[in-house]
Amino acid sequence: MRWSLVVPVKHLGRAKSRLAPALGPHREGLALAIACDTVAAALACPAVAGVFAVTEDPRAGAELAALGAVVVTGEPGTGLNPALAHGARAARWVSPEAGVCALSADLPALRSSELARVLAAAAGHGRSFLADSPGVGTTLYAATPGSRFAPAFEGASRERHLASGARELLLADVESVRRDVDTLDDLTAALALGAGPRTLRLAVAVLEERTP
């Protein structure tokens, strides 16, 4: 099975607000770098038929399109899950034979091989999800062709996805698909895993500025 990945990318002016004290003027740049590294790794995965980036930010849209993503605009503006549903409709119109998978845009250490393992496991269930590293949120939600796409991201989404009947994917050695970034500690953990080149380049520049 091949998959259409729906990746939501916030307007850069609102992205990574919890990192603002540490990153200062680099916050928007880091948010974009993380999204680009995530999308580039996803596009390199053989199981991925296409990446649909849902964003209203023109700068993010231009850079993600240059990587090969399909940029989906016109999101309803009523939150993350409606934006994902909007992207899923576009994905199913383009590739009705593919499964649809919502993927966090905050996975700077994403490895294509680990994503392939997760998607292979997801193919065995109608609806499934992968919890984030702390085990509270969700980084990936998948629906096979013909299955209802009903993501419940944000906050304690693992419990909501379980309650909805989606199967939790319990896989070892897929930490790069689970390690999303919201805080400085998260970023440090992603860098330890091996972040993508854009994230790494900017993170090194920030650290050099902060070093006395």
Side-chain angles (χ1 to χ4, degrees), residues 182-198:
D182 289 312
T183 67
L184 192 58
D185 285 345
D186 295 339
L187 178 59
T188 300
L191 291 172
L193 280 176
R198 300 163 187 83

Side-chain angles (χ1 to χ4, degrees), residues 21-69:
L23 297 177
H26 298 290
R27 176 180 57 83
E28 292 187 20
L30 184 72
L32 180 57
I34 289 173
C36 286
D37 281 337
T38 301
V39 167
L43 285 166
C45 177
V48 174
V51 172
F52 294 77
V54 182
T55 186
E56 296 296 334
D57 188 289
R59 180 184 170 196
E63 296 215 18
L64 295 169
L67 290 174

Side-chain angles (χ1 to χ4, degrees), residues 4 30 80 82 92 106 112 115 122 134 148 167-168 183 203:
S4 295
L30 184 72
L80 174 57
R92 281 182 161 162
D106 300 330
S112 303
L115 177 60
R148 185 170 63 98
R167 177 67 66 89
E168 182 171 10
T183 67

Side-chain angles (χ1 to χ4, degrees), residues 55-210:
T55 186
E56 296 296 334
D57 188 289
R59 180 184 170 196
E63 296 215 18
L64 295 169
L67 290 174
V70 176
V71 176
V72 181
T73 59
E75 62 177 275
T78 50
L80 174 57
N81 294 305
L84 289 170
H86 176 68
R89 286 190 290 272
R92 281 182 161 162
W93 186 84
V94 173
S95 300
E97 76 290 349
V100 178
C101 175
L103 181 72
S104 167
D106 300 330
L107 303 170
L110 182 65
R111 291 178 173 81
S112 303
S113 58
E114 294 184 13
L115 177 60
R117 290 185 58 224
V118 175
L119 293 175
H125 310 284
R127 295 185 301 118
S128 58
F129 71 96
L130 186 73
D132 62 9
S133 295
V136 176
T138 304
T139 58
L140 179 148
Y141 171 90
T144 55
S147 297
R148 185 170 63 98
F149 182 80
F153 281 82
E154 297 190 303
S157 58
R158 176 180 176 268
E159 288 300 323
R160 289 197 299 276
H161 283 132
L162 280 172
S164 76
R167 177 67 66 89
E168 182 171 10
L169 301 173
L170 301 171
L171 302 172
D173 302 321
V174 293
E175 184 61 18
S176 77
V177 196
R178 302 181 65 213
R179 179 71 277 167
D180 57 356
V181 171
D182 289 312
T183 67
L184 192 58
D185 285 345
D186 295 339
L187 178 59
T188 300
L191 291 172
L193 280 176
R198 300 163 187 83
T199 304
L200 182 60
R201 187 162 51 245
L202 189 54
V204 167
V206 171
L207 289 173
E208 287 178 348
E209 284 186 9
R210 289 165 60 92

